[in-house]
Coordinates of all heavy atoms in Angstrom, one line a residue:
R217 N 36.3 -51.8 175.5 CA 37.5 -51.3 174.9 C 37.4 -51.5 173.4 O 37.0 -52.5 172.9 CB 38.7 -52.0 175.4 CG 40.0 -51.5 174.9 CD 41.2 -52.0 175.7 NE 42.3 -51.3 175.1 CZ 43.6 -51.8 175.3 NH1 43.8 -52.8 176.0 NH2 44.6 -51.1 174.8
G218 N 37.8 -50.5 172.6 CA 37.7 -50.5 171.2 C 38.7 -51.4 170.5 O 39.7 -51.7 171.1
R219 N 38.4 -51.9 169.3 CA 39.3 -52.7 168.6 C 40.4 -51.8 168.0 O 40.3 -50.6 167.8 CB 38.5 -53.3 167.4 CG 37.5 -54.3 167.8 CD 36.8 -54.8 166.6 NE 36.5 -53.6 165.7 CZ 35.5 -53.6 164.9 NH1 34.6 -54.6 164.8 NH2 35.2 -52.5 164.2
R220 N 41.5 -52.5 167.7 CA 42.7 -51.8 167.1 C 42.2 -51.1 165.8 O 41.5 -51.7 165.0 CB 43.8 -52.7 166.8 CG 45.0 -52.1 166.3 CD 46.1 -53.1 166.1 NE 47.2 -52.5 166.7 CZ 48.4 -53.0 166.7 NH1 48.6 -54.2 166.1 NH2 49.4 -52.5 167.2
G221 N 42.5 -49.8 165.7 CA 42.2 -49.1 164.5 C 40.9 -48.3 164.6 O 40.5 -47.5 163.8
D222 N 40.1 -48.6 165.7 CA 38.9 -47.8 165.9 C 39.3 -46.4 166.4 O 40.4 -46.2 167.0 CB 38.0 -48.4 167.0 CG 37.3 -49.7 166.6 OD1 37.3 -50.0 165.4 OD2 36.7 -50.4 167.4
F223 N 38.5 -45.4 166.0 CA 38.8 -44.1 166.4 C 37.7 -43.5 167.2 O 36.5 -43.9 166.9 CB 39.1 -43.2 165.2 CG 40.4 -43.5 164.6 CD1 40.5 -44.5 163.6 CD2 41.6 -42.9 164.9 CE1 41.7 -44.8 163.0 CE2 42.8 -43.2 164.3 CZ 42.8 -44.2 163.3
K224 N 37.9 -42.6 168.1 CA 36.9 -41.9 168.8 C 37.2 -40.4 168.8 O 38.4 -40.1 168.9 CB 36.6 -42.4 170.2 CG 37.7 -42.2 171.2 CD 37.4 -42.7 172.5 CE 38.5 -42.5 173.5 NZ 38.2 -42.9 174.8
E225 N 36.2 -39.6 168.8 CA 36.4 -38.1 168.8 C 36.6 -37.7 170.3 O 35.8 -38.2 171.1 CB 35.3 -37.4 168.2 CG 35.5 -36.0 167.9 CD 34.4 -35.4 167.0 OE1 34.0 -36.0 166.0 OE2 34.0 -34.3 167.4
T226 N 37.6 -37.0 170.6 CA 37.8 -36.6 172.0 C 37.5 -35.2 172.3 O 37.3 -34.8 173.4 CB 39.3 -36.9 172.4 OG1 40.2 -36.1 171.6 CG2 39.6 -38.4 172.3
K227 N 37.5 -34.3 171.3 CA 37.1 -32.9 171.5 C 36.4 -32.4 170.2 O 36.5 -33.0 169.2 CB 38.4 -32.1 171.6 CG 39.2 -32.3 172.8 CD 40.4 -31.3 172.9 CE 41.2 -31.5 174.1 NZ 42.3 -30.6 174.2
M228 N 35.6 -31.4 170.5 CA 34.8 -30.8 169.4 C 35.7 -29.7 168.7 O 36.5 -29.1 169.4 CB 33.5 -30.2 169.9 CG 32.6 -31.2 170.6 SD 31.9 -32.4 169.4 CE 30.9 -31.4 168.4
A229 N 35.4 -29.4 167.5 CA 36.1 -28.3 166.8 C 35.7 -27.0 167.5 O 34.7 -26.9 168.1 CB 35.7 -28.2 165.3
K230 N 36.7 -26.1 167.5 CA 36.4 -24.8 168.2 C 37.1 -23.7 167.3 O 37.9 -24.0 166.4 CB 36.9 -24.8 169.6 CG 38.4 -24.9 169.8 CD 38.8 -24.8 171.2 CE 40.3 -24.9 171.4 NZ 40.7 -24.7 172.8
T231 N 36.9 -22.5 167.7 CA 37.6 -21.4 167.0 C 38.3 -20.5 168.0 O 37.9 -20.5 169.2 CB 36.6 -20.5 166.2 OG1 35.6 -19.9 167.1 CG2 35.9 -21.2 165.1
V232 N 39.4 -19.9 167.6 CA 40.1 -18.9 168.4 C 40.4 -17.7 167.5 O 40.5 -17.8 166.3 CB 41.5 -19.5 168.9 CG1 41.2 -20.7 169.9 CG2 42.4 -19.9 167.8
K233 N 40.5 -16.6 168.2 CA 40.8 -15.3 167.5 C 42.3 -15.1 167.6 O 42.9 -15.1 168.7 CB 40.1 -14.1 168.1 CG 40.2 -12.9 167.2 CD 39.4 -11.7 167.8 CE 37.9 -11.9 167.5 NZ 37.2 -10.7 167.7
A234 N 43.0 -15.0 166.5 CA 44.4 -14.8 166.5 C 44.8 -13.4 167.1 O 44.1 -12.4 167.0 CB 45.0 -14.9 165.0
K235 N 46.0 -13.5 167.7 CA 46.6 -12.3 168.3 C 47.9 -11.9 167.6 O 48.4 -12.7 166.9 CB 46.9 -12.5 169.8 CG 45.6 -12.8 170.6 CD 46.0 -13.1 172.0 CE 44.8 -13.8 172.7 NZ 45.2 -15.0 173.4
I236 N 48.4 -10.8 167.9 CA 49.7 -10.4 167.3 C 50.8 -11.4 167.7 O 50.9 -11.9 168.8 CB 50.2 -9.0 167.9 CG1 49.2 -7.9 167.4 CG2 51.6 -8.7 167.5 CD1 49.4 -6.5 168.0
G237 N 51.5 -11.8 166.6 CA 52.6 -12.8 166.8 C 52.1 -14.3 166.7 O 53.0 -15.2 166.7
D238 N 50.8 -14.5 166.5 CA 50.4 -15.9 166.4 C 50.7 -16.4 165.0 O 50.8 -15.7 164.0 CB 48.8 -16.0 166.6 CG 48.4 -16.1 168.0 OD1 49.3 -16.3 168.9 OD2 47.2 -15.9 168.3
S239 N 50.8 -17.7 164.9 CA 50.9 -18.4 163.6 C 50.0 -19.7 163.7 O 49.6 -20.1 164.8 CB 52.3 -18.8 163.3 OG 52.8 -19.8 164.2
L240 N 49.7 -20.3 162.6 CA 49.0 -21.6 162.6 C 49.7 -22.6 163.5 O 49.1 -23.4 164.2 CB 48.7 -22.1 161.2 CG 47.6 -21.4 160.4 CD1 47.4 -22.0 159.1 CD2 46.3 -21.3 161.2
C241 N 51.0 -22.6 163.4 CA 51.8 -23.6 164.1 C 51.7 -23.4 165.6 O 51.5 -24.4 166.3 CB 53.3 -23.6 163.6 SG 53.5 -24.4 162.0
N242 N 51.9 -22.2 166.1 CA 51.9 -22.0 167.5 C 50.4 -22.2 168.0 O 50.2 -22.8 169.1 CB 52.5 -20.7 168.0 CG 51.6 -19.5 167.9 OD1 50.9 -19.3 166.9 ND2 51.7 -18.6 168.9
I243 N 49.4 -21.9 167.3 CA 48.0 -22.1 167.7 C 47.8 -23.6 167.7 O 47.2 -24.2 168.7 CB 47.0 -21.4 166.7 CG1 47.1 -19.9 166.9 CG2 45.6 -21.9 167.0 CD1 46.4 -19.1 165.9
A244 N 48.4 -24.4 166.7 CA 48.2 -25.8 166.7 C 48.9 -26.4 168.0 O 48.3 -27.3 168.6 CB 48.8 -26.4 165.5
H245 N 50.1 -26.0 168.3 CA 50.8 -26.6 169.4 C 50.1 -26.2 170.7 O 50.0 -27.1 171.6 CB 52.3 -26.0 169.5 CG 53.1 -26.6 168.4 ND1 53.6 -27.9 168.4 CD2 53.6 -26.1 167.2 CE1 54.3 -28.2 167.3 NE2 54.3 -27.1 166.6
L246 N 49.6 -25.0 170.9 CA 48.9 -24.7 172.1 C 47.6 -25.5 172.3 O 47.0 -25.5 173.4 CB 48.5 -23.2 172.0 CG 49.7 -22.2 172.2 CD1 49.3 -20.8 172.0 CD2 50.3 -22.4 173.6
N247 N 47.1 -26.0 171.2 CA 45.9 -26.8 171.2 C 46.1 -28.3 171.1 O 45.2 -29.1 170.8 CB 44.9 -26.3 170.2 CG 44.3 -25.0 170.6 OD1 43.3 -25.0 171.3 ND2 44.8 -23.9 170.1
G248 N 47.4 -28.7 171.4 CA 47.7 -30.2 171.5 C 48.1 -30.9 170.2 O 48.2 -32.1 170.3
F249 N 48.3 -30.2 169.1 CA 48.7 -30.9 167.9 C 50.2 -30.8 167.8 O 50.9 -29.9 168.3 CB 48.1 -30.1 166.7 CG 46.6 -30.3 166.5 CD1 45.8 -29.4 167.0 CD2 46.1 -31.5 166.0 CE1 44.4 -29.5 166.9 CE2 44.7 -31.6 165.8 CZ 43.9 -30.7 166.3
G250 N 50.8 -31.9 167.2 CA 52.3 -32.0 167.1 C 52.8 -31.1 165.9 O 54.0 -30.8 165.9
D251 N 51.9 -30.7 165.0 CA 52.4 -29.9 163.9 C 51.2 -29.1 163.4 O 50.1 -29.2 163.9 CB 53.0 -30.7 162.8 CG 52.1 -31.7 162.1 OD1 50.9 -31.4 161.9 OD2 52.6 -32.8 161.8
C252 N 51.4 -28.3 162.3 CA 50.4 -27.4 161.8 C 49.4 -28.0 160.8 O 48.4 -27.4 160.5 CB 51.1 -26.2 161.1 SG 52.5 -25.5 161.8
Q253 N 49.8 -29.2 160.3 CA 49.0 -29.7 159.2 C 47.5 -29.8 159.5 O 46.7 -29.5 158.6 CB 49.6 -31.1 158.8 CG 49.0 -31.7 157.6 CD 49.1 -30.8 156.4 OE1 50.1 -30.1 156.2 NE2 48.0 -30.8 155.6
P254 N 47.0 -30.2 160.7 CA 45.6 -30.3 160.9 C 44.9 -28.9 160.7 O 43.8 -28.9 160.2 CB 45.4 -30.8 162.3 CG 46.7 -31.6 162.5 CD 47.8 -30.8 161.8
L255 N 45.6 -27.9 161.1 CA 45.0 -26.5 160.9 C 45.0 -26.1 159.5 O 44.1 -25.5 159.0 CB 45.7 -25.5 161.8 CG 45.1 -25.4 163.3 CD1 45.3 -26.7 164.0 CD2 45.7 -24.2 164.0
R256 N 46.1 -26.4 158.8 CA 46.2 -26.0 157.4 C 45.2 -26.8 156.5 O 44.7 -26.3 155.5 CB 47.6 -26.3 156.8 CG 48.6 -25.3 157.4 CD 50.0 -25.6 156.8 NE 50.9 -24.6 157.3 CZ 52.2 -24.8 157.4 NH1 52.8 -26.0 157.0 NH2 53.0 -23.9 157.9
A257 N 44.9 -28.0 156.9 CA 44.0 -28.9 156.2 C 42.5 -28.6 156.5 O 41.6 -29.0 155.7 CB 44.3 -30.4 156.5
E258 N 42.3 -27.9 157.6 CA 40.9 -27.5 158.0 C 40.3 -26.6 156.9 O 40.8 -25.5 156.7 CB 40.9 -26.9 159.3 CG 39.6 -26.3 159.8 CD 38.5 -27.3 159.9 OE1 38.7 -28.4 160.4 OE2 37.4 -27.0 159.4
P259 N 39.2 -27.0 156.3 CA 38.6 -26.2 155.2 C 38.2 -24.7 155.7 O 38.4 -23.8 154.9 CB 37.3 -26.9 154.8 CG 37.6 -28.4 155.1 CD 38.5 -28.3 156.4
A260 N 37.8 -24.6 156.9 CA 37.5 -23.2 157.4 C 38.7 -22.3 157.4 O 38.5 -21.1 157.5 CB 36.8 -23.3 158.8
N261 N 39.9 -22.8 157.4 CA 41.1 -22.0 157.5 C 41.7 -21.7 156.1 O 42.7 -21.1 156.0 CB 42.2 -22.7 158.4 CG 41.7 -22.8 159.8 OD1 40.9 -22.0 160.3 ND2 42.2 -23.8 160.5
A262 N 41.0 -22.2 155.1 CA 41.5 -22.0 153.7 C 41.8 -20.5 153.4 O 42.8 -20.2 152.7 CB 40.6 -22.6 152.7
Y263 N 41.0 -19.6 153.9 CA 41.2 -18.2 153.6 C 42.5 -17.7 154.1 O 43.2 -16.8 153.6 CB 40.0 -17.3 154.1 CG 40.1 -17.1 155.6 CD1 40.5 -15.8 156.1 CD2 39.6 -18.0 156.5 CE1 40.5 -15.6 157.4 CE2 39.6 -17.7 157.9 CZ 40.1 -16.5 158.3 OH 40.1 -16.2 159.6
I264 N 43.0 -18.3 155.2 CA 44.3 -17.9 155.8 C 45.4 -18.5 155.0 O 46.3 -17.8 154.6 CB 44.4 -18.4 157.3 CG1 43.4 -17.7 158.1 CG2 45.8 -18.2 157.8 CD1 43.2 -18.3 159.5
V265 N 45.3 -19.8 154.7 CA 46.4 -20.5 154.0 C 46.5 -20.0 152.6 O 47.6 -19.8 152.1 CB 46.1 -22.0 153.9 CG1 47.1 -22.8 153.1 CG2 46.1 -22.6 155.4
N266 N 45.4 -19.7 151.9 CA 45.5 -19.2 150.5 C 45.8 -17.8 150.3 O 46.2 -17.4 149.2 CB 44.1 -19.5 149.8 CG 43.8 -21.0 149.7 OD1 44.7 -21.8 149.6 ND2 42.6 -21.3 149.7
R267 N 45.7 -16.9 151.3 CA 46.0 -15.5 151.1 C 47.4 -15.1 151.4 O 47.9 -14.0 151.0 CB 45.0 -14.6 151.9 CG 45.4 -14.7 153.4 CD 45.0 -13.3 154.1 NE 45.5 -13.5 155.4 CZ 44.8 -13.5 156.5 NH1 43.5 -13.4 156.4 NH2 45.4 -13.6 157.7
A268 N 48.1 -15.9 152.1 CA 49.4 -15.5 152.6 C 50.6 -16.1 151.8 O 50.5 -17.2 151.3 CB 49.6 -16.0 154.1
D269 N 51.7 -15.3 151.7 CA 52.9 -15.8 151.2 C 53.4 -17.0 152.0 O 54.0 -18.0 151.5 CB 54.0 -14.7 151.1 CG 53.6 -13.6 150.1 OD1 52.9 -13.9 149.1 OD2 54.1 -12.5 150.3
D270 N 53.3 -16.9 153.3 CA 53.6 -17.9 154.3 C 52.3 -18.5 154.7 O 51.5 -17.9 155.4 CB 54.4 -17.4 155.5 CG 54.6 -18.4 156.6 OD1 54.2 -19.5 156.4 OD2 55.2 -18.0 157.6
P271 N 52.0 -19.8 154.4 CA 50.7 -20.4 154.7 C 50.4 -20.5 156.2 O 49.3 -20.8 156.6 CB 50.7 -21.7 154.0 CG 52.1 -22.0 153.6 CD 52.8 -20.7 153.6
G272 N 51.4 -20.3 157.0 CA 51.2 -20.4 158.5 C 50.9 -19.0 159.1 O 50.6 -18.9 160.3
Q273 N 51.0 -17.9 158.3 CA 50.9 -16.6 158.8 C 49.4 -16.3 159.1 O 48.5 -16.5 158.2 CB 51.4 -15.6 157.8 CG 51.3 -14.1 158.2 CD 51.8 -13.2 157.2 OE1 52.3 -13.6 156.1 NE2 51.7 -11.9 157.4
V274 N 49.1 -15.8 160.2 CA 47.8 -15.3 160.6 C 47.9 -13.8 161.0 O 48.9 -13.4 161.4 CB 47.1 -16.1 161.7 CG1 46.8 -17.5 161.2 CG2 47.9 -16.1 163.0
L275 N 46.8 -13.1 160.8 CA 46.8 -11.7 161.2 C 45.9 -11.6 162.4 O 45.0 -12.3 162.7 CB 46.1 -10.9 160.0 CG 46.8 -11.0 158.7 CD1 46.0 -10.2 157.6 CD2 48.2 -10.4 158.8
P276 N 46.3 -10.6 163.3 CA 45.5 -10.3 164.5 C 44.0 -10.2 164.1 O 43.6 -9.5 163.1 CB 46.0 -9.0 165.0 CG 47.4 -9.0 164.5 CD 47.3 -9.6 163.1
G277 N 43.1 -10.9 164.8 CA 41.7 -10.9 164.5 C 41.2 -12.0 163.6 O 40.0 -12.2 163.5
D278 N 42.1 -12.7 162.9 CA 41.7 -13.8 162.1 C 41.0 -14.9 163.1 O 41.5 -15.1 164.2 CB 42.9 -14.5 161.5 CG 43.4 -13.8 160.2 OD1 42.7 -13.0 159.7 OD2 44.5 -14.2 159.7
V279 N 40.0 -15.5 162.6 CA 39.3 -16.5 163.3 C 39.8 -17.9 162.8 O 39.6 -18.2 161.6 CB 37.8 -16.4 163.2 CG1 37.1 -17.6 163.9 CG2 37.3 -15.1 163.8
V280 N 40.5 -18.6 163.6 CA 41.2 -19.9 163.2 C 40.3 -21.0 163.8 O 40.0 -21.0 165.0 CB 42.6 -19.9 163.8 CG1 43.3 -21.3 163.4 CG2 43.4 -18.8 163.3
T281 N 40.0 -22.0 162.9 CA 39.2 -23.1 163.4 C 40.2 -24.2 163.8 O 41.1 -24.6 163.0 CB 38.3 -23.6 162.3 OG1 37.4 -22.6 162.0 CG2 37.5 -24.9 162.7
I282 N 40.0 -24.7 165.0 CA 40.8 -25.8 165.5 C 40.0 -27.1 165.3 O 38.9 -27.2 166.0 CB 41.1 -25.6 167.1 CG1 41.6 -24.2 167.4 CG2 42.0 -26.7 167.6 CD1 42.9 -23.8 166.7
P283 N 40.5 -28.0 164.5 CA 39.7 -29.2 164.3 C 39.6 -30.1 165.5 O 40.5 -30.0 166.4 CB 40.4 -29.9 163.1 CG 41.8 -29.4 163.1 CD 41.7 -28.0 163.7
A284 N 38.6 -31.0 165.5 CA 38.5 -31.9 166.6 C 39.7 -32.8 166.7 O 40.2 -33.2 165.6 CB 37.2 -32.7 166.5
H285 N 40.1 -33.1 167.9 CA 41.2 -34.1 168.1 C 40.6 -35.5 167.9 O 39.5 -35.8 168.4 CB 41.8 -34.1 169.5 CG 42.7 -32.9 169.7 ND1 44.1 -33.1 169.5 CD2 42.5 -31.7 170.0 CE1 44.6 -31.9 169.7 NE2 43.7 -31.0 170.1
V286 N 41.3 -36.4 167.2 CA 40.8 -37.8 167.1 C 42.0 -38.6 167.6 O 43.1 -38.4 167.2 CB 40.5 -38.1 165.6 CG1 40.1 -39.6 165.5 CG2 39.4 -37.2 165.1
E287 N 41.6 -39.6 168.4 CA 42.7 -40.5 168.9 C 42.3 -41.9 168.8 O 41.1 -42.2 168.7 CB 43.0 -40.2 170.4 CG 42.0 -40.5 171.4 CD 42.3 -40.3 172.8 OE1 43.1 -39.3 173.1 OE2 41.9 -41.0 173.7
K288 N 43.3 -42.8 168.7 CA 43.0 -44.2 168.6 C 42.4 -44.7 169.9 O 42.9 -44.2 171.0 CB 44.2 -45.0 168.2 CG 44.6 -45.0 166.8 CD 45.6 -46.0 166.5 CE 45.8 -46.1 165.0 NZ 46.7 -47.2 164.7
S289 N 41.5 -45.6 169.9 CA 40.9 -46.1 171.1 C 41.4 -47.5 171.4 O 42.0 -48.1 170.5 CB 39.4 -46.1 171.1 OG 38.9 -46.8 170.0

């Protein structure tokens, strides 16, 4: 068993192709995140965050990177 404060990676990063009606927040929630911040902070998603008036807005066909989940062990 790990010491308090140790972290382990539980999933690898992956990508998903956005569909009509998707947002970074709903993609984050569908992939087990409590909020959108991990997807907004992911460097591969910078083109989405930086181009939109609403930083959560994605367009159909956008490739969104879902960062690896990290949990305390």
